[in-house]
Amino acid sequence: MMASSPQSSLGGPPAGRLDLACPARESAAAMTAQQPTAPAETTATPPRMRKVVTAGLLGTSLETYDLYLYGTASATIFPRLFFTNQSDTVATILSLATFGVSFMARPLGAIIFGHFGDRIGRKETLITTLLLMGVSTAVIGALPTYDSIGALAPVVLVLLRLLQGVGFGGEYSGAVLMLSEHAPAGRRGFYAGLNNIGPVFGFILSTLVFLVTGSLMSDATFTAWGWRIPFLLSAVLVAVGLYVRNQLSESSLFIEAVKKRESATPPLLQVVRRHPKELILGTGSTVALFAIFYLFSTYTLSYATKVLQMDRSTVLWSVILAMVVNGVAIPLAASLSDRVGRRAVCVAGLAAAALWAFPMFSLINTGNSSLLTLALSVQMVFYGVIYAPIAALLSEIFTTSVRFTGAALSYNLGGILGAAFAPIIASALLARYGNTDPIALYIIAMCVISAVCVAALRETRLTNLAEPR
């Protein structure tokens, strides 16, 4: 038997007959055939995808190890080492201010590394950012303190912190782009979100190293020289990260974008001219993300140990457990964003984080370690729900030729507005009002700003990254 034609099976004319009654059908088909089709996205093979995921996670873990290690030290020990000529309150504020300095340098890093990432490639740029962060962190581990070289010590500390900020300005967004541009379109949120587990690993590793080092020696010994060990260890970790990242290759999307590049205009100017709305809203969508995390990771350490007089080790363990919970929430929320959309998941997380602000501080203020762990863990679940879809969202709102610059600039400008001043603002609010209610209101305000910005962005989960915009 002869198989029927597709037309016949769909109710069209039988095979072998001309459809003289519908001449328009042939005309419509011809017109359709002549219309240009949207470029198809290409995805990596499973082995290559596993390599990209491994490199992204490892690189981001090591970069954030450097970042969070400094955050822990600035909240707990650096006030005694680099600001010994100040009162305890002023020393703490100044130490936290050096933590914020990094965020001021990040947009510069986003511009520099975004330019080269969009022009010469994601891979080489990511290798450079990793090296810059790692060397800066290792040098901090060898830096003389105030007692040795006086006021020069905090000055050099700030300069090294600025270099860390420049390096990190291109790190996160570049790693996310590698995952987004290699991933299957229907799973882009999940794979891009996986990169956000890297900071979880980095935070836990830095906190554990800090915690274990401190537990193996007396407080006096740790203050004298033991604190340097976690910083010097960065040099070894970066060597591993450089080896893994060197095995990567560029995505097909980026290679095609380079071939088709028509404009010699720098990516930064293209972003400002062609994507001003995306840049502004992308920046606003991340401010709560940064405020929540750095109040959690930096200010809470200072508040619990210095104000509530809780044991430093106890507080660090609570923070570690909360980060483990966060690591579980991220891939679940990232996968959900592939099904219901980036905006819906992000706004839900922001609403939950805002509602939890007052209950969280009520639990923290008890000074009970179990309630502290509960308060931080619940907040980090909500934080993970916000953080997970942001990775793909910022990648999808910009076209390939300027994606690195646009995403990096949005992310790092959000870092300045949301994180650079958050620990300082929280310290000032507590000093002014004597309670944590204003800090809770501050978190709520940040969540409202981000929710409005996310809602104003277009939904991007079905975006074809190969299409120009």
Side-chain angles (χ1 to χ4, degrees):
M1 294 179 59
M2 294 181 62
S4 61
S5 70
Q7 271 192 329
S8 177
S9 64
L10 292 174
R17 287 180 53 186
L18 294 175
D19 188 10
L20 299 177
C22 299
R25 185 175 299 172
E26 283 188 20
S27 176
M31 290 176 64
T32 301
Q34 292 173 4
Q35 291 177 350
T37 57
E41 291 185 66
T42 56
T43 58
T45 61
R48 186 178 176 188
M49 196 68 227
R50 284 193 292 271
K51 184 180 291 187
V52 174
V53 169
T54 301
L57 277 174
L58 182 59
T60 304
S61 297
L62 298 182
E63 293 271 22
T64 50
Y65 169 87
D66 297 340
L67 178 70
Y68 300 143
L69 180 62
Y70 190 96
T72 301
S74 69
T76 58
I77 194 169
F78 278 2
R80 287 181 284 168
L81 295 173
F82 293 97
F83 303 96
T84 52
N85 62 326
Q86 304 291 337
S87 67
D88 287 344
T89 300
V90 174
T92 298
I93 291 176
L94 290 175
S95 182
L96 292 174
T98 66
F99 179 77
V101 161
S102 164
F103 293 92
M104 306 305 291
R106 286 188 185 188
L108 177 61
I111 293 170
I112 294 171
F113 293 115
H115 177 87
F116 289 111
D118 283 327
R119 291 295 181 179
I120 66 174
R122 309 344 188 175
K123 173 185 170 181
E124 299 300 327
T125 302
L126 286 173
I127 289 175
T128 305
T129 60
L130 183 61
L131 188 61
L132 183 58
M133 280 281 293
V135 170
S136 300
T137 301
V139 173
I140 289 174
L143 182 64
T145 62
Y146 189 93
D147 289 341
S148 299
I149 59 174
L152 185 60
V155 171
V156 177
L157 183 67
V158 168
L159 291 176
L160 291 170
R161 189 64 179 147
L162 286 170
L163 289 177
Q164 280 189 325
V166 171
F168 197 82
E171 162 59 30
Y172 172 82
S173 298
V176 167
L177 295 194
M178 288 291 282
L179 286 162
S180 296
E181 293 178 350
H182 281 86
R187 298 283 284 164
R188 196 162 52 228
F190 173 73
Y191 279 109
L194 283 182
N195 186 76
N196 291 351
I197 303 178
V200 176
F201 293 147
F203 186 93
I204 291 175
L205 179 61
S206 67
T207 307
L208 278 176
V209 171
F210 204 82
L211 188 63
V212 171
T213 305
S215 67
L216 293 177
M217 55 189 71
S218 67
D219 187 61
T221 303
F222 183 74
T223 302
W225 58 267
W227 66 272
R228 299 181 183 278
I229 296 174
F231 285 88
L232 294 173
L233 182 61
S234 175
V236 178
L237 299 176
V238 167
V240 177
L242 288 174
Y243 172 79
V244 174
R245 280 199 167 165
N246 199 48
Q247 312 303 310
L248 290 178
S249 57
E250 296 292 351
S251 69
S252 300
L253 275 173
F254 176 75
I255 293 171
E256 288 301 313
V258 170
K259 291 178 181 177
K260 297 175 181 177
R261 183 182 296 146
E262 297 178 354
S263 175
T265 304
L268 175 62
L269 294 181
Q270 292 187 55
V271 169
V272 172
R273 290 173 181 173
R274 294 167 51 193
H275 302 281
K277 175 184 175 182
E278 288 80 2
L279 180 61
I280 293 170
L281 296 179
T283 297
S285 69
T286 65
V287 294
L289 183 77
F290 282 104
I292 290 170
F293 186 81
Y294 286 99
L295 287 175
F296 156 82
S297 64
T298 301
Y299 178 73
T300 299
L301 286 174
S302 177
Y303 177 71
T305 56
K306 298 183 184 303
V307 179
L308 301 180
Q309 296 296 305
M310 297 182 70
D311 177 69
R312 183 179 65 192
S313 296
T314 299
V315 176
L316 288 174
W317 277 114
S318 295
V319 169
I320 288 173
L321 290 173
M323 285 300 289
V324 171
V325 173
N326 174 239
V328 174
I330 286 173
L332 297 176
S335 183
L336 181 64
S337 77
D338 283 325
R339 296 195 294 273
V340 303
R342 320 293 187 221
R343 292 189 306 173
V345 174
C346 206
V347 169
L350 288 164
L355 291 173
W356 184 245
F358 277 102
M360 177 181 70
F361 278 110
S362 295
L363 293 174
I364 292 173
N365 287 331
T366 64
N368 181 282
S369 59
S370 297
L371 294 180
L372 172 68
T373 303
L374 174 62
L376 298 181
S377 296
V378 173
Q379 184 72 329
M380 291 315 287
V381 169
F382 300 148
Y383 168 80
V385 174
I386 304 166
Y387 192 28
I390 283 290
L393 178 66
L394 293 183
S395 300
E396 292 163 343
I397 60 178
F398 297 100
T399 192
T400 303
S401 61
V402 298
R403 183 169 295 129
F404 200 135
T405 300
L409 202 53
S410 296
Y411 188 76
N412 291 295
L413 287 174
I416 289 181
L417 299 175
F421 306 109
I424 302 172
I425 289 172
S427 296
L429 288 173
L430 183 68
R432 172 68 177 83
Y433 296 100
N435 63 73
T436 55
D437 287 351
I439 304 175
L441 289 173
Y442 172 65
I443 292 175
I444 293 171
M446 294 294 100
C447 289
V448 170
I449 291 171
S450 286
V452 170
C453 291
V454 170
L457 284 168
R458 59 187 174 83
E459 178 54 54
T460 60
R461 73 183 177 95
L462 299 179
T463 297
N464 182 348
L465 294 185
E467 290 181 337
R469 289 186 293 284

